[in-house]
Amino acid sequence: MTLSSTAFDRVRVLLRRRPSVAWRRFLALGLVLLAALGAFWPDVGYPAVVTSRDLPAGAALSATDVRLVSFPAPVTGSFSRADLVVGRTLSGAARSGVPLTDFDLSSATDDLASVAVRVADQGLAGVVRMGDRVDVVSPSAEVLAENASVRETRGQVVVLMLPRLNANRVAAMSLDHALAVTLR
């Protein structure tokens, strides 16, 4: 056999040779070790707590309602451990798999109540959806509540989740007047 002078011919001759049994075993062992290393390699993502199912506003979170998921980029305001959110209350509705942030949870000191409000603008009542944030305004242009979470909508009536102090004022005012809501 004569050696060829071109690099292409030399590579072609080497590829025609059948690798030895020892070389094949060494290659197989390397692939098994690489697979094992990949299986046990730590996740390099950013952990965030997400809901495990759709939850309504005002739901108290339990350990079965949340799970930890890894994201490729950090989620601003998210929680890195599930125990940080268990026992807290959702301030708005939450979809399954969406990261929970500090805006999604009401503070532990809030005493929340739900209030049904008859909306003055029937067209706006059809636009407002569960989970939206609204401000409630009286007929005299006084802001009765800010950043209220919409819990439910039925026709011209919108059910809002508010701190109890604001809820009492809104409920008393809505007995006599239809109120305006502004979307945030």
Side-chain angles (χ1 to χ4, degrees):
M1 178 168 131
T2 63
L3 291 175
S4 176
S5 61
T6 66
F8 177 73
D9 289 336
R10 282 186 238 157
V11 170
R12 189 176 55 165
V13 168
L14 287 174
L15 290 177
R16 285 185 184 166
R17 290 186 190 168
R18 186 174 184 145
S20 68
V21 173
W23 178 248
R24 286 184 283 176
R25 287 182 181 164
F26 177 73
L27 185 60
L29 178 64
L31 290 174
V32 168
L33 289 175
L34 185 62
L37 181 65
F40 294 108
W41 194 267
D43 192 6
V44 293
Y46 296 90
V49 176
V50 300
T51 56
S52 55
R53 59 188 173 92
D54 289 349
L55 295 169
L61 296 173
S62 67
T64 59
D65 294 331
V66 295
R67 60 188 166 96
L68 198 60
V69 174
S70 181
F71 286 93
V75 179
T76 305
S78 66
F79 299 91
S80 60
R81 295 190 336 253
D83 62 334
L84 297 173
V85 299
V86 171
R88 296 190 58 187
T89 305
L90 284 173
S91 59
R95 289 265 183 219
S96 175
V98 175
L100 291 173
T101 64
D102 48 357
F103 288 123
D104 297 322
L105 302 177
S106 60
S107 64
T109 59
D110 279 352
D111 188 18
L112 299 177
S114 294
V115 177
V117 174
R118 194 169 18 100
V119 180
D121 184 3
Q122 189 172 5
L124 183 62
V127 173
V128 176
R129 293 182 313 230
M130 183 175 88
D132 284 347
R133 302 299 236 166
V134 297
D135 294 338
V136 182
V137 182
S138 72
S140 63
E142 176 189 2
V143 177
L144 300 174
E146 292 180 347
N147 202 20
S149 175
V150 176
R151 188 170 190 173
E152 188 177 347
T153 61
R154 294 210 177 164
Q156 202 170 351
V157 175
V158 177
V159 179
L160 303 173
M161 171 98 35
L162 300 166
R164 189 163 302 281
L165 177 64
N166 291 23
N168 292 339
R169 288 182 61 213
V170 170
M173 186 66 76
S174 69
L175 290 174
D176 298 327
H177 308 286
L179 301 176
V181 294
T182 58
L183 289 169
R184 284 191 160 240

